[in-house]
Amino acid sequence: MTRTLAVQAAPSPFHFDPARTALVLIDMQRDFVEPGGFGETLGNDVSVLQSVIPPLQAVLADARRRGLMVIHTREGHLPDLSDCPPAKLQRGEPSKRIGDPGPKGRILVRGEYGHDIIDDLAPLPDELVIDKPGKGSFHATGLHDFLVESGITSLIVTGVTTEVCVHTTVREANDRGYECLVLSDCVGSYFPEFQRVALAMISAQGGIFGWVAPSSTYLAALAAADPAFTV
Ligand code: TIU
């Protein structure tokens, strides 16, 4: 059964069928949102990303209650770093680069504590976790094939950071025909001006990459459709 809901969004209402929609949480890893990880080695104050967590917890809980598909992603590399481009290996403080030991394990390496998703948003066993070597969630992953097989056509996009992995993923998704709603308070940047401009770039030019709305508006649209509604 097709059931189309509408969310008031920029630049226009976002229409979606929850049965063909996935909530995507991008890179909510300790490496980006907690001290001692990759985000900090790049010179960032990671504490500014903390504000994303409470609204994203609410959106995640709502999706789980309604039975919406939930997908998590993690940026990171194989222990031998064979999937890390040379230029990427050179980024960050010389003493703490990708693969170097840090307080939460080897920085941005799969299987390490710092590479995993924060406890507040930990995936459930039945939720897909996509491990990706790049900024985009489609590059060198099976995400597109999985979404096609699952009949997913719309994505509710959240996570960090807005202008890097969120933007790259939304651009990749848009080119593949997915319709993306980015929840403005559930995505975060280390730079306030990048947060503002990155969101504006998505909805500009008639929604050149997608739609943008606060999570309260998205949740209200689901609740208004049917408070007890499940996919
Ligand atoms: N540096 C930065 O802002 N972000 C990243 O390197 N990766 C993600 O956005 N996940």
Side-chain angles (χ1 to χ4, degrees):
M1 185 182 81
T2 298
R3 177 180 186 135
T4 302
L5 306 189
V7 179
Q8 291 309 311
S12 59
F14 176 75
H15 298 277
F16 70 108
D17 173 2
R20 307 196 69 185
T21 300
L23 171 66
V24 184
L25 293 86
I26 297 177
D27 301 359
M28 291 303 297
Q29 300 161 252
R30 298 186 184 99
D31 252 311
F32 292 106
V33 305
E34 293 183 0
F38 185 57
E40 195 171 79
T41 74
L42 296 175
N44 299 304
D45 171 7
V46 296
S47 68
V48 299
L49 299 185
Q50 291 291 316
S51 65
V52 169
I53 299 171
L56 187 41
Q57 282 181 297
V59 166
L60 178 59
D62 181 84
R64 285 173 174 166
R65 189 168 56 77
R66 295 181 189 280
L68 224 76
M69 180 180 287
V70 175
I71 300 172
H72 305 256
T73 72
R74 297 184 295 204
E75 179 181 349
H77 297 282
L78 298 169
D80 67 2
L81 306 181
S82 59
D83 59 351
C84 187
K88 188 175 180 182
L89 271 178
Q90 299 303 315
R91 290 180 195 134
E93 290 177 37
S95 60
K96 282 180 251 161
R97 295 212 161 127
I98 294 171
D100 288 343
K104 291 177 176 155
R106 293 180 68 202
I107 290 169
L108 216 61
V109 169
R110 293 182 192 171
E112 302 287 338
Y113 181 72
H115 170 266
D116 211 353
I117 293 167
I118 58 174
D119 292 337
D120 286 341
L121 298 167
L124 294 179
D126 64 336
E127 292 170 355
L128 181 67
V129 179
I130 294 278
D131 278 316
K132 61 189 182 67
K135 304 304 181 191
S137 301
F138 290 82
H139 167 67
T141 72
L143 180 57
H144 182 55
D145 288 346
F146 176 81
L147 294 175
V148 169
E149 283 163 18
S150 305
I152 298 294
T153 56
S154 303
L155 304 177
I156 309 299
V157 183
T158 67
V160 297
T161 64
T162 313
E163 78 279 13
V164 182
C165 290
V166 171
H167 237 263
T168 307
T169 296
V170 167
R171 289 169 186 234
E172 288 180 321
N174 180 60
D175 278 351
R176 287 164 176 77
Y178 299 98
E179 299 189 353
C180 297
L181 174 66
V182 178
L183 300 183
S184 53
D185 53 333
C186 294
V187 294
S189 170
Y190 299 120
F191 306 91
E193 70 270 35
F194 291 173
Q195 172 79 0
R196 183 180 62 77
V197 173
L199 291 174
M201 287 170 70
I202 289 168
S203 64
Q205 304 185 64
I208 194 85
F209 297 128
W211 289 258
V212 178
S215 62
S216 56
T217 307
Y218 158 76
L219 291 173
L222 282 167
D226 181 349
F229 158 70
T230 55
V231 173

